[in-house]
Amino acid sequence: MQYTNPVIPGFHPDPSICRAGDDYYLVTSTFEYFPGVPIFHSKDLVHWRQIGHCLTTEEQLPLANSWSSGGIFAPTIRYHNGWFYMATTNVSGVGNFFVKTKNPAETWSNPILVAQDGIDPSLTFDDDGRVYFQSSRTGDQGHAIYQCEIDIETGSMLTESRLLWKGSGGAYPEAPHVYKINGYYYLMIAEGGTEYGHMETIARSKHPFGPYESYANNPILSNRSMESSIHATGHADLIETQDGSWWAVCLGIRPVSYPMAHHLGREVYLAPVSWTSDGWPVIGNNTHIETVMEAPNLPEVQWPEKPIRDNFDDSKLGLDWTFLRNPVQSSWSLQERPGYLVLHGQQTSLNEIGSPAFVGRRLSHFTCKMEAKMDFEPLNDGEEAGLTVYMNQKHHYDLAVRSIQGRKMIVFRRTVGSLKVEEIRDCPEGPIVLQIQALPDKIIASICTPEIEPIEMGWGETHFLSTEMAGGFTGVFVAMYATSETEQSTPALFDWFDYEPVELMEQ
């Protein structure tokens, strides 16, 4: 059987994986979005479903001080003696910490802090009971990989931080993982920055603190300078399956234009791992990730397809939905009017770093249709609600109803850095359907009602929402939102939201 990469599309960077029996679990970064660190489950490494988040409370994940692309950096997930551990960094808060649980789909513990600084922390459970903690940090010998031994119950450092490896010479050695395999400690890292020169390299030692010998044929993974739809591969993690074969998950991007630019974010890729005769792992097809590859020799287990429509009939939001930083609790409700998502506009706008009324999901396909039925009759000038196609506070496209000089208007706004362009026209009374059509190279915005055919309001290039234009480490979200320039706000009622991929038109 063959599978198609990416195995988890859309903004899901920095994947880490573990196995518990016949079950596989995977986590990814979330930066300034809340809840933090989605966790996915698979039986065959190809088909994944989200089962929860690791960080679901403000106590676990305070994001009030998070700048754009701040917050949660690369997590690591490990399974040991019946416990799941997830280590990560809140770069806008407490720094390095880990949480733990017996059931990854349920509540995780409060953060257990680790004093070793840096980013991209990882855990290694040794055969003798010792636990090692690695991170990428700047020490007296520059940017490199450091390690200490910790008490896994308290997070206390039992040794000082010691330099392990500076890497093979690429910029920004990061994303360390140490594995004990056949008597060797293998240290695998990412180098080159999470950009087009990204790569994965490896070294090994007979002792956990080294010295580490670099593999002579590094890198063991890179798609740099290739004529491929997949680029910037790296930040990998290894896993051994039940049959003894080895696999890797890693991140990669899919640019859609020239000059190359990507807007879906960094996605999750899967690749086989082979071993050289002298015991070094090589990821993919001679270090390369391909779109179509041969699947693992595991029983195939597919999950039910997600419904296109969310009617907001449940008492909780679905796992796809996310907030921009910690939400103001009064800004949203599923109980205020049953069967609707109700948003109350905040004075924080989409152009600011803060917590607007914002309920969004990742744009995970180049070609898809998104629609939302909204009932919003603003009473005061400056009140606004609608849909946003959002990369960050300086790069987003908004399709919204707004009160302007006492009139209900429909606005399509393109915010690109310091530039802002708006299309404005009268809005029909009563509920309207907001429509966003995503194509690989552009976003098209329209409105309609039961009485009128769709009216196109305008379009904008996806290039202006790309990482290459907007900067940062995230990907595009599509969100329902509401803002108000005063403390008074008319509630915006969202009856339903549709997300429909158009797979035949995928790149």
Side-chain angles (χ1 to χ4, degrees):
M1 183 184 78
Q2 293 182 320
Y3 68 93
T4 301
N5 272 313
V7 291
I8 304 179
F11 164 58
H12 295 100
D14 311 323
S16 178
I17 192 171
C18 73
R19 177 168 72 91
D22 295 340
D23 295 283
Y24 298 87
Y25 299 91
L26 183 147
V27 292
T28 64
S29 300
T30 43
F31 298 91
E32 68 265 37
Y33 291 96
F34 181 88
V37 187
I39 182 160
F40 297 85
H41 172 230
S42 178
K43 303 286 283 189
D44 59 14
L45 292 177
V46 172
H47 302 97
W48 294 89
R49 62 170 177 173
Q50 188 177 348
I51 58 172
H53 291 86
C54 298
L55 307 174
T56 57
T57 69
E58 191 168 352
E59 290 72 28
Q60 292 172 315
L61 181 55
L63 291 171
N65 297 322
S66 174
W67 53 89
S68 179
S69 289
I72 290 294
F73 277 25
T76 294
I77 188 169
R78 293 293 180 257
Y79 178 70
H80 181 72
N81 285 347
W83 284 91
F84 294 87
Y85 299 84
M86 189 282 294
T88 190
T89 315
N90 185 345
V91 299
S92 310
V94 299
N96 285 327
F97 67 94
F98 62 90
V99 292
K100 64 181 183 178
T101 187
K102 290 260 187 179
N103 185 342
E106 296 184 355
T107 302
W108 292 64
S109 72
N110 287 328
I112 301 168
L113 306 186
V114 179
Q116 179 166 295
D117 62 0
I119 60 170
D120 300 2
S122 187
L123 293 167
T124 302
F125 294 87
D126 210 340
D127 303 332
D128 59 6
R130 289 184 169 89
V131 182
Y132 300 106
F133 182 92
Q134 306 88 27
S135 65
S136 171
R137 62 188 292 266
T138 302
D140 54 7
Q141 299 191 51
H143 198 75
I145 307 303
Y146 286 76
Q147 177 176 272
C148 66
E149 182 184 346
I150 66 168
D151 182 329
I152 196 61
E153 296 302 319
T154 66
S156 300
M157 293 174 59
L158 302 179
T159 67
E160 64 180 7
S161 298
R162 293 170 56 181
L163 173 69
L164 293 189
W165 193 35
K166 295 182 179 179
S168 66
Y172 307 113
E174 57 191 5
H177 295 305
V178 171
Y179 315 90
K180 192 173 185 181
I181 305 170
N182 296 331
Y184 279 105
Y185 294 87
Y186 287 86
L187 171 56
M188 188 174 73
I189 72 171
E191 298 184 47
T194 184
E195 300 162 359
Y196 288 89
H198 210 201
M199 59 181 174
E200 198 75 11
T201 60
I202 200 162
R204 70 184 181 188
S205 173
K206 284 289 187 178
H207 304 281
F209 283 99
Y212 279 84
E213 167 202 4
S214 179
Y215 178 40
N217 292 320
N218 275 321
I220 61 171
L221 166 67
S222 181
N223 273 34
R224 59 189 178 182
S225 301
M226 289 183 61
E227 189 175 345
S228 171
S229 62
I230 303 168
H231 293 266
T233 54
H235 203 117
D237 200 4
L238 301 179
I239 195 70
E240 184 180 14
T241 66
Q242 305 93 297
D243 65 5
S245 64
W246 286 82
W247 290 79
V249 292
C250 69
L251 64 77
I253 62 174
R254 292 181 290 167
V256 297
S257 62
Y258 184 83
M260 288 195 293
H262 69 287
H263 62 281
L264 295 188
R266 295 169 293 163
E267 305 172 295
V268 178
Y269 291 76
L270 175 72
V273 176
S274 57
W275 292 83
T276 66
S277 58
D278 53 349
W280 293 96
V282 177
I283 299 173
N285 182 3
N286 192 29
T287 75
H288 303 319
I289 301 287
E290 297 180 354
T291 301
V292 178
M293 306 189 82
E294 291 296 323
N297 186 26
L298 298 171
E300 182 181 12
V301 177
Q302 298 190 36
W303 309 112
E305 289 189 13
K306 296 178 182 178
I308 292 172
R309 175 161 294 182
D310 190 334
N311 283 302
F312 303 119
D313 291 332
D314 294 336
S315 60
K316 295 181 179 180
L317 284 172
L319 295 174
D320 282 341
W321 296 111
T322 189
F323 301 98
L324 185 54
R325 303 179 184 86
N326 304 119
V328 176
Q329 290 304 311
S330 61
S331 69
W332 72 281
S333 175
L334 290 172
Q335 286 75 42
E336 182 174 332
R337 183 166 176 181
Y340 289 81
L341 171 65
V342 180
L343 297 185
H344 290 271
Q346 304 297 296
Q347 289 181 275
T348 300
S349 76
L350 297 178
N351 303 320
E352 300 172 276
I353 294 178
S355 299
F358 176 109
V359 178
R361 57 149 297 154
R362 292 158 174 84
L363 181 66
S364 297
H365 301 83
F366 288 123
T367 308
C368 57
K369 297 177 182 178
M370 292 147 287
E371 296 186 343
K373 184 179 179 182
M374 182 181 73
D375 190 354
F376 179 56
E377 299 294 337
L379 299 177
N380 305 291
D381 277 5
E383 290 186 314
E384 177 176 309
L387 295 181
T388 181
V389 184
Y390 183 90
M391 182 57 151
N392 59 34
Q393 76 277 6
K394 294 183 178 180
H395 293 260
H396 51 93
Y397 300 151
D398 315 322
L399 177 63
V401 172
R402 182 178 178 89
S403 178
I404 302 175
Q405 296 180 352
R407 296 171 62 191
K408 180 183 178 184
M409 309 296 287
I410 189 76
V411 178
F412 178 57
R413 179 187 306 113
R414 286 153 287 190
T415 300
V416 180
S418 61
L419 304 178
K420 185 179 297 183
V421 178
E422 291 184 333
E423 309 289 341
I424 303 174
R425 63 185 301 160
D426 288 327
C427 182
E429 294 299 314
I432 65 169
V433 175
L434 305 165
Q435 301 175 322
I436 299 290
Q437 181 182 6
L439 298 172
D441 60 344
K442 63 183 176 180
I443 302 293
I444 304 171
S446 305
I447 66 161
C448 70
T449 73
E451 290 76 30
I452 63 173
E453 294 293 318
I455 300 170
E456 184 174 318
M457 289 294 299
W459 62 276
E461 298 91 335
T462 57
H463 187 89
F464 292 131
L465 303 179
S466 69
T467 295
E468 288 77 1
M469 287 290 292
F473 304 123
T474 61
V476 167
F477 280 71
V478 177
M480 296 162 285
Y481 78 97
T483 62
S484 176
E485 293 179 358
T486 68
E487 292 184 0
Q488 296 178 324
S489 65
T490 306
L493 283 60
F494 291 88
D495 190 4
W496 47 259
F497 181 97
D498 288 354
Y499 182 97
E500 184 177 6
V502 185
E503 295 180 356
L504 294 178
M505 298 176 66
E506 285 291 272
Q507 290 288 294

